[in-house]
Amino acid sequence: MPDNRKYAIYSRKSKFTGKGESIENQIEICRRALKSKYDVVDEDIVEFEDEGFSGGNTKRPKFQEMMERCRNGEFQLVICYRLDRISRNTSDFVNTYEELKEHSVCFRSVSDNIDDTSPMGRAMMMISSVFAQLERDIIAERITDNMHELAKSGRWLGGNPPTGYRSAETVGSMTVDGKIHKARMLEKNPEEAELVGLVFTKFVELRSITKVETYLLNNDFKSKKGNTLSRFAIKTILQNPVYAIADEDTWVYLNETDMQLYGSRDDFDGIHGIMAYNKTIQKKGRSMKQKAPSEWIVAVGKHEGIIEGKRWVEVQHLLEKNRDKAYRKPKSNTALLSGLLFCACCGSFMRPKLSSRVNKQGEKVYDYLCELKERSHGLKCDNKRINGNELDRQICDEIKHLGEDDSGLMKLLRNSQKSLNETFADSQAEIDRLTEKKKQYEAERTNLVKALTLAGETMAAEDIISQINDLHTKTSELERQISEHRRLMENSDITDEQYQSLADMLSSFAKTIDTLDVMKKRDVIRCFVRRVEWDGENIHLYLMGAESGGTDVLHSEPKCECSKRDTYAFSLAEKDGE
């Protein structure tokens, strides 16, 4: 029985450069190889391209899509230009190859001349994958060597400088891995340096990052970007060796840790600060993560330190103690409105806070509490907390009623349908009027062109040309207006079928929402709810349509009192409020 499955071409390049084989070249080489050996046409080939992704792991969108389609039985063979396009990690490649075999998918690498249909090809494949891993390890080792070279210089690598410093270019340059880099160093910013000193002083005094956060918030201290300093930002400042003055205390502490300390005791002169390299993991599209201190490479920098070593070391020991005895605040895994519920008084998120109480239904009681109120201990916002169990239950009840004919949403939909249809009719009438006007201008212009032919080189010709240009300008403006009205019409027509489809969808959700688990309930709520606000007395529900892309059934999000017609407001019996 013939195998009618398709052929997959996979290509990858870490980033767009003029070096190496481009994505396009890889695809073309694989296409030629397929057609030379197999009886295939273009329709039998599916291409997968990952540009800007490393071969260090297999977390690449198109690669994952290809593997999923292999699991679904869509392909009989996967081909790539070179084996390391699949992965530079031996373990990842072996796992990928085993999975392909499990789903009866053959593999071929063109430039390595590897075809797994023969025993020799399979052996060569494993050997090549080992060499790909070796190459990756050599690259990683070279990067570490570069870090040590940078540590010798104590230079700043660029990017956003830490609070308390600015980046300054110095005279000269240095060569690392054959590349010339301009020499840069950190320069103290006096105003920000005072804030850094205050953060360390207050932490030693209060023994709590949360209390330091509250103090800074209530006294209006801001980051260099004008934001309030979060607990994460404060902890980052307290942990960063860049502020520590390189003195005897700092030397002893760093020498006792797992950090890779570069330099001698003589380098710790009591003036300069510490530079830490290889501190973070930075991936495109993901938040920055800090590596374990054992992977840091530290050395004395060229910049001036801010915090004396004794104080900096004391803070590190305090942080360690706090980490050991830290209270792990329980989080509610049943709260439905996280990320949707806002404090109407200050605009902050309201987050669930689980208590030890149990209600009549046997549920753990949780409240929603304003983040700013919690952080400022009520100084910056005093909005009441709200019973989360009751609020979530009532929101679900509201959604159940949305599909009823007399619900506020259905009335709003009908009004919107009527309003949009009226806009559609008005726009059509205006297009007809503008089109008629355009025809008049075009007729006048045609007559003027004829008159210009008769006028020849006389003085009247200039006047006729001026009139023709004027009519051309007016015609262009009419065309612009017609185009704008047509665009409005495209977005202003709700058919009866569309209206009924949305009504049916609402009714369906109303019947099934009680049977859904927490995650699915959250998804349902986000289909219809854009935002929820609690003002201490009433809940305001801001709704949106259920179509993908979040098309608003309502108008824009309310910004003032006159916009409250776009919300549902209802009170909630609050027995547990503050």
Side-chain angles (χ1 to χ4, degrees):
M1 183 175 177
D3 191 341
N4 295 321
R5 292 178 297 169
K6 294 181 180 292
Y7 298 78
I9 295 177
Y10 181 74
S11 60
R12 178 188 65 78
K13 192 172 176 65
S14 295
K15 60 182 179 178
F16 180 78
T17 66
K19 301 176 182 178
E21 289 295 341
S22 68
I23 291 282
E24 293 76 14
N25 285 351
Q26 292 178 44
I27 294 288
E28 184 56 33
I29 290 169
C30 289
R31 275 184 170 276
R32 288 202 299 266
L34 278 176
K35 291 180 178 180
S36 67
K37 186 166 183 179
Y38 304 95
D39 183 21
V40 298
V41 294
D42 288 341
E43 289 73 19
D44 295 328
I45 300 171
V46 180
E47 301 168 4
F48 297 90
E49 304 173 7
D50 277 319
E51 184 146 15
F53 290 89
S54 164
N57 59 62
T58 57
K59 294 178 180 177
R60 292 166 249 138
K62 289 300 181 182
F63 179 82
Q64 293 297 333
E65 180 188 339
M66 179 186 72
M67 292 303 296
E68 183 61 30
R69 293 176 68 174
C70 285
R71 296 180 194 110
N72 293 336
E74 294 187 38
F75 301 119
Q76 59 178 288
L77 180 139
V78 169
I79 186 171
C80 64
Y81 167 67
R82 198 168 63 228
L83 187 144
D84 64 2
R85 299 303 87 192
I86 296 293
S87 178
R88 288 185 182 274
N89 183 298
T90 303
S91 175
D92 282 343
F93 177 79
V94 170
N95 290 337
T96 298
Y97 178 63
E98 290 298 325
E99 187 170 8
L100 290 175
K101 278 205 310 182
E102 183 182 337
H103 294 92
S104 302
V105 180
C106 296
F107 175 79
R108 186 177 176 195
S109 171
V110 179
S111 66
D112 302 309
N113 198 23
I114 292 175
D115 188 338
D116 73 343
T117 56
S118 69
M120 184 60 71
R122 287 191 290 272
M124 286 298 297
M125 191 178 334
M126 291 303 153
I127 293 171
S128 296
S129 70
V130 170
F131 276 104
Q133 171 79 53
L134 178 62
E135 183 181 354
R136 181 169 176 264
D137 292 342
I138 290 171
I139 291 171
E141 185 178 334
R142 189 167 69 242
I143 290 172
T144 302
D145 290 343
N146 289 346
M147 290 290 181
H148 283 105
E149 288 297 315
L150 291 168
K152 289 180 186 178
S153 71
R155 68 186 282 271
W156 172 246
L157 301 186
N160 293 324
T163 301
Y165 294 99
R166 63 175 68 93
S167 177
E169 188 172 329
T170 61
V171 177
S173 62
M174 62 175 294
T175 302
V176 178
D177 198 23
K179 296 180 181 178
I180 298 176
H181 301 263
K182 286 184 179 179
R184 302 192 71 84
M185 62 175 283
L186 292 175
E187 185 177 81
K188 188 184 289 186
N189 180 321
E191 185 178 337
E192 291 181 9
E194 284 185 20
L195 176 59
V196 170
L198 178 64
V199 168
F200 276 84
T201 299
K202 281 297 174 183
F203 181 69
V204 172
E205 174 190 331
L206 300 172
R207 298 293 204 268
S208 164
I209 290 178
T210 301
K211 290 179 180 178
V212 174
E213 179 192 34
T214 300
Y215 173 83
L216 297 175
L217 177 64
N218 289 344
N219 288 279
D220 298 319
F221 287 100
K222 306 282 186 181
S223 70
K224 64 169 59 187
K225 292 184 178 180
N227 302 320
T228 58
L229 286 163
S230 66
R231 275 168 284 192
F232 177 78
I234 294 168
K235 186 177 180 181
T236 300
I237 289 174
L238 294 173
Q239 286 184 319
N240 199 337
V242 75
Y243 303 113
I245 294 174
D247 56 18
E248 180 71 15
D249 293 293
T250 309
W251 159 260
V252 172
Y253 177 82
L254 293 176
N255 214 33
E256 292 175 348
T257 65
D258 292 334
M259 298 180 199
Q260 301 173 52
L261 178 59
Y262 189 93
S264 68
R265 197 171 196 144
D266 294 338
D267 296 326
F268 285 69
D269 56 7
I271 298 172
H272 293 97
I274 301 297
M275 288 299 299
Y277 303 93
N278 200 40
K279 276 179 58 184
T280 58
I281 301 171
Q282 300 183 33
K283 292 185 178 180
K284 187 177 180 181
R286 296 187 182 182
S287 58
M288 181 180 67
K289 291 186 178 180
Q290 190 163 284
K291 293 182 178 180
S294 59
E295 298 186 56
W296 297 7
I297 298 171
V298 295
V300 176
K302 300 295 185 185
H303 64 287
E304 185 181 349
I306 296 175
I307 306 299
E308 64 178 28
K310 184 177 181 181
R311 170 58 58 88
W312 189 81
V313 171
E314 179 185 7
V315 165
Q316 305 316 302
H317 290 315
L318 281 173
L319 287 170
E320 191 64 35
K321 285 181 182 178
N322 286 359
R323 186 159 43 244
D324 292 339
K325 64 181 183 180
Y327 168 67
R328 305 293 189 257
K329 183 171 68 174
K331 295 182 179 180
S332 169
N333 61 356
T334 58
L336 301 179
L337 299 180
S338 291
L340 288 178
L341 182 61
F342 293 83
C343 172
C345 300
C346 68
S348 299
F349 280 109
M350 295 191 72
R351 301 296 191 189
K353 191 177 181 72
L354 192 64
S355 73
S356 58
R357 294 172 294 150
V358 178
N359 62 19
K360 294 178 181 178
Q361 288 77 32
E363 304 167 333
K364 278 281 185 78
V365 173
Y366 55 93
D367 296 332
Y368 286 107
L369 177 64
C370 171
E371 275 190 337
L372 183 60
K373 178 180 181 177
E374 185 177 26
R375 290 168 57 207
S376 67
H377 289 192
L379 189 62
K380 293 290 184 179
C381 181
D382 63 354
N383 195 9
K384 293 189 297 185
R385 67 173 68 199
I386 184 171
N387 185 297
N389 307 74
E390 292 301 319
L391 175 58
D392 287 354
R393 190 174 293 114
Q394 193 152 350
I395 291 293
C396 288
D397 288 341
E398 287 295 316
I399 290 180
K400 291 178 190 176
H401 298 314
L402 290 180
E404 298 174 0
D405 285 341
D406 60 347
S407 75
L409 179 60
M410 296 309 293
K411 290 177 182 177
L412 188 61
L413 279 174
R414 285 193 290 270
N415 290 337
S416 297
Q417 182 187 28
K418 180 180 177 183
S419 175
L420 290 173
N421 287 343
E422 287 174 354
T423 301
F424 184 93
D426 291 344
S427 293
Q428 185 59 62
E430 186 64 10
I431 287 175
D432 292 342
R433 187 187 70 78
L434 294 172
T435 301
E436 190 61 35
K437 191 72 173 175
K438 180 185 170 187
K439 288 179 181 178
Q440 293 177 15
Y441 286 158
E442 288 172 344
E444 290 178 26
R445 191 169 59 181
T446 299
N447 291 334
L448 285 171
V449 170
K450 291 179 181 178
L452 182 63
T453 304
L454 297 173
E457 300 294 330
T458 64
M459 291 290 292
E462 292 184 11
D463 183 52
I464 293 172
I465 292 172
S466 176
Q467 293 180 57
I468 290 173
N469 290 336
D470 183 51
L471 284 171
H472 178 74
T473 301
K474 289 180 178 179
T475 302
S476 297
E477 174 59 21
L478 287 176
E479 288 173 347
R480 187 195 66 77
Q481 292 180 33
I482 290 170
S483 176
E484 178 65 20
H485 279 288
R486 282 179 176 154
R487 187 189 64 79
L488 286 172
M489 287 176 66
E490 289 175 1
N491 299 315
S492 301
D493 187 24
I494 297 181
T495 66
D496 291 339
E497 290 78 11
Q498 290 171 322
Y499 172 83
Q500 189 57 47
S501 175
L502 185 53
D504 291 343
M505 190 184 301
L506 288 166
S507 178
S508 173
F509 278 130
K511 293 174 183 176
T512 60
I513 191 168
D514 285 336
T515 66
L516 303 176
D517 59 29
V518 171
M519 295 303 294
K520 287 189 173 64
K521 281 184 180 178
R522 286 177 185 156
D523 291 339
V524 169
I525 289 172
R526 280 159 177 75
C527 282
F528 302 108
V529 178
R530 172 185 289 279
R531 181 184 180 99
V532 184
E533 289 184 2
W534 166 244
D535 63 13
E537 298 294 334
N538 293 308
I539 284 292
H540 299 271
L541 219 57
Y542 299 86
L543 300 170
M544 65 182 181
E547 295 179 4
S548 62
T551 305
D552 283 343
V553 171
L554 306 177
H555 302 296
S556 60
E557 199 166 280
K559 298 287 192 297
C560 60
E561 287 293 321
C562 63
S563 296
K564 286 189 176 179
R565 66 180 181 277
D566 291 343
T567 74
Y568 293 121
F570 57 88
S571 60
L572 187 74
E574 182 52 61
K575 298 177 182 177
D576 300 299
E578 295 175 347

